[in-house]
């Protein structure tokens, strides 16, 4: 793949060309030259786009595609195309398929299906067999096949001894354990944040306490085992402070937050739109403000779209019966841009790779081209025409967003809308 990018502003604080408008020559997938003007004697394909900005390739630490078993929601091929059109060059795939990804063969299968795509897919293996929370899966075998972490997606491990043993066992091969932050005996059948809004709407509440108790328990276990823990998608003010204190103790813990938990409050559920039925729940303004503060001070390590396609049959039903989840890849950049500067947004979208053993890249001569292409200034109302996913359960539908993604250049491929 040979291509010449014309007049692109580089947003990469680790690059010598940060904030400069330059041409970028890419030959056989490698950045061959960066300069104010580059001639094109070999008649390579030229990319010239309005207000073009280029950054390191973006990363998402939590996506679900459905395949195998739920192809009507999303296939791996279409999911990776969606990720590319949304500016992502690397995604972590959750194990919530049917069957659950819990073996060497399962990891090998999804890796094989992701070959020859611009977007790199890194699979998570289930922490327990079948994702049932009862018996630990073959973690080491899955790590040998390429699993980057172990997690029963959105399912808490109720047995503390099982979590303790998993943290201890995975330490033998530097395995990363992920623990969903919810005490299910407290959350029970709650479908939204337990607050004045849930009372007003007559919906069962899922209290912040359920998340915070589980995090406190898992941090105590981590302190005991000395393992390696990642807590995905925290959502409450107290959760931020718990993890902040754990980091002060030098515990090996990281965490993420879903973009929609930074953007919406539980007041948004007043229309009973099931696209807002997500896990963890959308919380209060106080929670949102502290999550943003935690992101700014480094307590929260990364932001995820938590992209989770759900078919219409499981979303266009009464709120109590709808499945949890929203798609989020297509709206991720635009939503973050409404909250942060372009530089901060790019910083957020490129953080977290090393936690999963993925080497970061820079925009420099001699480096592999791993780039996201975008226009940070275009504003629009997000609607179904912006959705590439097979499923359309978008929490951001109708929201005013800022920033247009053009596509990616990665793995020796150019993918543009």
């Amino acid at each position: 793949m040979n291509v010449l990018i014309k007049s692109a502003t580089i947003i990469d604080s680790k690059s010598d060309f940060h904030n400069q408008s330059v041409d970028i020559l890419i030959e056989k997938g490698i950045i061959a030259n960066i300069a104010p003007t580059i001639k094109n004697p070999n008649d390579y394909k030229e990319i010239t786009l309005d207000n073009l900005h280029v950054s390191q390739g973006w990363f998402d630490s939590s996506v679900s595609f459905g395949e195998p078993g739920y192809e009507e929601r999303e296939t791996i091929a279409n999911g990776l195309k969606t990720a590319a059109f949304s500016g992502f060059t690397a995604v972590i795939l959750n194990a919530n398929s049917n069957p659950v990804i819990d073996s060497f063969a399962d990891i090998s299968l999804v890796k094989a299906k992701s070959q020859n795509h611009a977007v790199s897919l890194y699979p998570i293996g289930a922490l327990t067999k079948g994702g049932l929370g009862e018996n630990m899966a073959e973690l080491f075998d899955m790590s040998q096949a390429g699993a980057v972490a172990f997690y029963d997606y959105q399912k808490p491990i109720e047995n503390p001894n099982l979590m303790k043993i998993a943290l201890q066992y995975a330490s033998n091969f530097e395995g990363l354990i992920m623990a969903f932050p919810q005490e299910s005996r407290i959350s029970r059948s709650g479908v939204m944040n337990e607050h004045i809004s849930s009372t007003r709407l007559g919906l069962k509440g899922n209290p912040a306490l359920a998340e915070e108790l589980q995090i406190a328990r898992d941090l105590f276990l981590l302190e005991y085992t000395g393992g390696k823990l990642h807590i995905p998608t925290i959502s409450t003010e107290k959760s931020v402070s718990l993890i902040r204190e754990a980091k002060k103790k030098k515990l090996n813990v990281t965490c993420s937050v879903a973009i929609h938990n930074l953007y919406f409050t539980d007041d948004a559920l007043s229309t009973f739109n099931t696209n807002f039925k997500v896990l963890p729940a959308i919380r209060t303004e106080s929670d949102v403000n502290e999550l943003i503060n935690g992101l700014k001070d480094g307590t929260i390590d990364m932001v995820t779209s938590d992209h989770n396609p759900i078919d219409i049959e499981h979303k266009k039903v009464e709120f109590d019966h709808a499945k949890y989840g929203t798609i989020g890849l297509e709206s991720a950049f635009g939503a973050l841009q409404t909250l942060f500067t372009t530089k901060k947004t790019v910083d957020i979208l490129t953080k977290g790779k090393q936690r999963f053993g993925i080497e970061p890249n820079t925009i420099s001569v001699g480096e592999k081209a791993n780039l996201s292409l975008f226009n940070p200034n275009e504003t629009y109302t997000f609607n179904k025409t912006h959705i590439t996913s097979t499923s359309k359960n978008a929490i951001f539908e109708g929201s005013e967003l800022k920033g247009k993604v053009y596509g990616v250049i990665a793995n020796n491929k150019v993918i543009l809308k």
Side-chain angles (χ1 to χ4, degrees):
M1 179 268 292
N2 301 310
V3 66
L4 178 59
I5 302 174
K6 301 293 291 183
S7 301
T9 300
I10 291 177
I11 306 296
D12 180 3
S13 58
K14 296 181 180 179
S15 171
D16 293 337
F17 300 93
H18 178 54
N19 274 340
Q20 297 182 36
S21 180
V22 295
D23 291 354
I24 305 172
L25 177 65
I26 300 170
E27 295 182 315
K28 297 180 180 179
I30 305 295
I31 299 175
N33 193 14
I34 302 174
T37 303
I38 299 175
K39 293 183 179 180
N40 190 7
N42 295 317
D43 197 29
Y44 291 158
K45 176 183 177 180
E46 292 192 8
I47 295 176
T48 304
L49 297 165
D50 184 46
N51 193 31
L52 176 59
H53 286 58
V54 173
S55 76
Q56 299 176 30
W58 301 343
F59 167 73
D60 195 332
S61 61
S62 176
V63 303
S64 304
F65 288 152
E67 187 180 6
Y70 298 120
E71 287 84 357
E72 72 279 7
R73 298 178 184 177
E74 190 75 280
T75 62
I76 288 173
N78 195 68
L80 293 175
K81 181 176 78 170
T82 299
F85 283 173
S86 304
F88 292 88
T89 62
V91 297
I92 303 290
L93 180 69
N94 291 308
N96 58 329
S97 54
N98 184 23
V100 167
I101 301 169
D102 66 356
S103 70
F104 184 102
D106 293 335
I107 296 291
S108 300
L109 173 65
V110 295
K111 283 181 67 69
K113 284 181 172 290
S114 70
Q115 295 302 305
N116 300 315
H117 287 271
V119 180
S120 298
L121 181 149
Y122 299 90
I124 287 174
L127 182 57
T128 65
K129 292 180 180 179
L132 299 175
E134 296 173 358
N135 299 297
M136 195 168 68
E138 298 292 343
L139 307 189
F140 180 72
D141 282 358
M142 287 190 286
S143 75
Q144 294 299 102
V148 295
F150 308 100
Y151 174 39
D152 291 354
Y153 179 69
Q154 292 190 344
K155 294 179 179 178
I157 302 299
E158 294 184 1
N159 183 345
N161 192 52
L162 177 58
M163 177 58 68
K164 176 180 74 73
I165 292 170
L167 285 165
Q168 290 172 324
Y169 177 69
S171 296
N172 294 311
F173 54 92
E174 291 296 308
L176 179 63
I177 300 298
M178 297 173 63
F180 185 64
Q182 179 170 281
E183 168 50 78
S184 56
R185 286 161 294 193
I186 296 290
S187 62
R188 297 181 69 84
S189 56
V191 295
M192 68 170 291
N193 182 45
E194 184 177 88
H195 190 239
I196 190 171
S197 296
S198 61
T199 302
R200 184 174 66 248
L201 297 174
L203 293 173
K204 295 177 182 177
N206 182 344
L209 176 66
E211 175 172 312
E212 295 151 8
L213 277 176
Q214 193 79 353
I215 288 176
R217 186 205 75 171
D218 289 340
L219 290 175
F220 271 115
L221 291 170
L222 178 66
E223 188 171 12
Y224 177 81
T225 62
K228 187 176 176 183
L229 179 67
H230 178 70
I231 302 175
T233 57
I234 68 171
S235 68
T236 80
E237 183 176 0
K238 180 67 173 176
S239 296
V240 177
S241 64
L242 286 168
I243 293 168
R244 185 179 288 124
E245 288 304 310
K247 289 190 170 187
K248 288 179 181 177
K249 293 181 181 179
K250 306 298 182 183
L251 298 186
N252 193 347
V253 61
T254 52
C255 67
S256 68
V257 61
I259 292 171
H260 44 264
N261 284 100
L262 297 171
Y263 191 95
F264 297 105
T265 67
D266 54 7
D267 290 334
L269 277 73
S270 59
T271 61
F272 296 93
N273 182 344
T274 58
N275 288 336
F276 285 89
K277 187 177 181 181
V278 291
L279 202 63
I282 302 297
R283 304 288 186 183
T284 68
E285 185 175 356
S286 177
D287 293 309
V288 170
N289 291 337
E290 186 56 21
L291 289 168
I292 291 174
N293 289 336
L295 188 60
K296 289 178 177 177
D297 70 18
T299 300
I300 297 175
D301 301 271
M302 60 197 83
V303 176
T304 173
S305 71
D306 205 22
H307 180 85
N308 189 8
I310 303 295
D311 53 274
I312 192 170
E313 287 82 2
H314 289 99
K315 271 296 185 181
K316 201 168 184 180
V317 293
E318 290 180 357
F319 200 93
D320 280 343
H321 301 297
K323 285 191 175 293
Y324 292 101
T326 175
I327 58 171
L329 285 168
E330 297 98 317
S331 52
F333 177 64
L336 286 173
Q337 280 259 117
T338 66
L339 301 171
F340 305 100
T341 65
T342 298
K343 182 179 181 300
K344 181 64 176 177
T345 295
V346 169
D347 177 61
I348 288 169
L349 289 170
T350 52
K351 287 179 66 177
K353 295 179 184 179
Q354 288 174 295
R355 186 59 167 172
F356 294 89
I358 304 167
E359 285 299 315
N361 61 291
T362 59
I363 303 178
S364 303
V365 174
E367 291 276 334
K368 287 184 178 179
N370 189 287
L371 308 172
S372 300
L373 286 66
F374 57 95
N375 173 356
N377 295 338
E378 185 170 325
T379 58
Y380 61 100
T381 301
F382 187 81
N383 58 49
K384 283 187 169 58
T385 65
H386 300 109
I387 295 175
T388 309
S389 304
T390 302
S391 296
K392 310 302 178 185
N393 55 308
I395 196 171
F396 282 99
E397 186 177 356
S399 297
E400 295 295 321
L401 305 183
K402 181 183 180 183
K404 176 181 181 180
V405 178
Y406 291 123
V408 300
I409 298 176
N411 287 336
N412 206 19
K413 291 179 173 55
V414 179
I415 304 294
L416 299 175
K417 289 182 180 178

